[in-house]
Amino acid sequence: MRRMGEAQGQLMDNFYSSSCPNVEAIVRQVVLTKINQTFVTIPATLRLYFHDCFVEGCDASVIIASPNNDAEKDAQDNLSLAGDGFDTVVKAKQAVEAQCPGVVSCADILAIAARDVVFLAGGPAYNVELGRRDGLISQASRVAGHLPEPTFNLIQLNTIFAKNNLSQTDMIALSGAHTLGFSHCTRFANRLYSFSPFNPIDPTLDPTYAQQLMQECPQNVDPQIAINMDPVTPRTFDNVYFQNLVGGKGLFTSDQVLFTDPASQPTVMDFAQNSGDFSGAFITAMTKLGRVGVKTGNQGEIRRDCTAFNS
């Protein structure tokens, strides 16, 4: 008989089949209710999952709240995470606890919720691997350098994804999550007003789109103003993001570079033309993302409250 410790690192589709068989139905009901209150739930939950997995692994460390504002969520790169993502996981955890106390990790609930918001926005359905435990470290100081920046070029993007065992194709597919959600003007203002001494506007931007962005984001705009990442179908999970890149309508430098760099352009063209290819690649990438740095077996803990360590 194997000891628990020897089975570490193994996630499985039916991890809670005997200990909490209804967990996925419970989470989906909470996610549905939350989406009916605000659409922001969808991009917020998906982005929360990505930000969680890239720092300390997929262990719900990003959800910890600190009285001193020095937890992972307090880092500069995480301040723009929308509260609706956190709220979704906290509410889902409360609903799960009511039926299966102390059994299901916050990390797994976030993984299930991220899958559900993709599907409920029109994206592909897939089975989510489970069995993660919640991490015991959440520090703002450990975030910098672990998340991709909107100014990154292809080499920088590939490098930071490769650290998490994700390929260039995985990275491009996950970037497709920018078919949903929104960004604050400050994250791309340099492409409109100060790109280079000779070109204030980034020449890879479609000129009409650039004018539209300048109207929505004038130079001294309120920092709270946010605009859609996908100007065409901002509430649908589809491959229009990639069609936008082909048309020069990628919002971030790190979006548009996927089309302008010859090394990644063929994948963007394929995803733009074949939604099935994108969906398949996205499922593969989300599954691999969900394995990043996971704690299993006797590592970590099963938090009772997603915002606080048990001890």
Side-chain angles (χ1 to χ4, degrees):
M1 187 176 155
R2 280 194 314 185
R3 291 197 314 277
M4 276 294 281
E6 290 170 18
Q8 282 176 6
Q10 290 303 304
L11 303 178
M12 58 186 79
D13 283 358
N14 56 355
F15 186 82
Y16 298 106
S17 57
S18 56
S19 59
C20 191
N22 296 330
V23 60
E24 295 189 45
I26 299 168
V27 173
R28 178 157 299 188
Q29 188 53 56
V30 172
V31 171
L32 263 171
T33 303
K34 181 82 187 157
I35 290 171
N36 286 334
Q37 292 163 354
T38 171
F39 175 81
V40 176
T41 299
I42 292 179
T45 304
L46 187 53
R47 187 159 172 251
L48 185 66
Y49 185 53
F50 181 82
H51 279 237
D52 181 44
C53 292
F54 262 48
V55 182
E56 314 288 355
C58 309
D59 65 353
S61 51
V62 74
I63 303 176
I64 290 289
S66 154
N68 312 317
N69 295 333
D70 58 1
E72 199 174 300
K73 69 185 288 189
D74 301 307
Q76 191 63 42
D77 282 337
N78 285 332
L79 291 178
S80 63
L81 289 169
D84 288 299
F86 295 93
D87 190 50
T88 301
V89 179
V90 168
K91 285 193 163 74
K93 171 67 169 174
Q94 289 165 349
V96 171
E97 285 295 296
Q99 288 197 31
C100 319
V103 172
V104 183
S105 66
C106 299
D108 277 347
I109 288 171
L110 176 53
I112 295 168
R115 181 271 311 268
D116 287 349
V117 296
V118 168
F119 176 70
L120 293 168
Y126 58 94
N127 288 335
V128 64
E129 296 177 334
L130 301 169
R132 299 168 192 79
R133 289 169 68 86
D134 297 322
L136 299 170
I137 296 170
S138 179
Q139 293 173 5
S141 59
R142 295 169 68 128
V143 174
H146 292 288
L147 290 162
E149 297 289 339
T151 52
F152 273 10
N153 62 31
L154 188 66
I155 290 172
Q156 291 170 306
L157 288 168
N158 279 336
T159 301
I160 205 163
F161 277 76
K163 284 182 190 164
N164 296 293
N165 296 321
L166 294 161
S167 67
Q168 175 173 289
T169 303
D170 297 328
M171 180 272 291
I172 297 169
L174 290 170
S175 298
H178 287 172
T179 183
L180 299 166
F182 41 84
S183 165
H184 293 99
C185 296
T186 49
R187 304 289 278 177
F188 54 86
N190 63 307
R191 300 186 68 203
L192 300 174
Y193 302 110
S194 56
F195 187 70
S196 73
F198 308 104
N199 274 325
I201 302 177
D202 183 340
T204 63
L205 263 178
D206 171 77
T208 312
Y209 184 49
Q211 291 303 316
Q212 182 188 327
L213 291 176
M214 290 165 91
Q215 284 173 351
E216 295 184 69
C217 292
Q219 278 194 278
N220 294 313
V221 70
D222 175 349
Q224 297 302 312
I225 297 287
I227 71 154
N228 291 322
M229 300 280 293
D230 173 353
V232 184
T233 57
R235 289 181 166 230
T236 309
F237 191 96
D238 55 23
N239 66 333
V240 172
Y241 165 83
F242 298 102
Q243 297 169 10
N244 292 339
L245 298 187
V246 175
K249 294 176 185 154
L251 190 59
F252 294 160
T253 301
S254 59
D255 293 314
Q256 196 56 48
V257 74
L258 302 179
F259 179 72
T260 54
D261 194 308
S264 47
Q265 188 179 73
T267 307
V268 171
M269 296 288 287
D270 174 38
F271 290 171
Q273 291 160 0
N274 302 288
S275 61
D277 289 0
F278 166 50
S279 292
F282 185 78
I283 292 169
T284 298
M286 283 292 278
T287 303
K288 287 171 69 175
L289 175 65
R291 296 170 181 161
V292 172
V294 295
K295 288 87 185 154
T296 56
N298 52 14
Q299 302 167 320
E301 65 179 11
I302 304 293
R303 260 179 244 152
R304 288 186 290 271
D305 167 359
C306 290
T307 66
F309 300 120
N310 288 345
S311 47

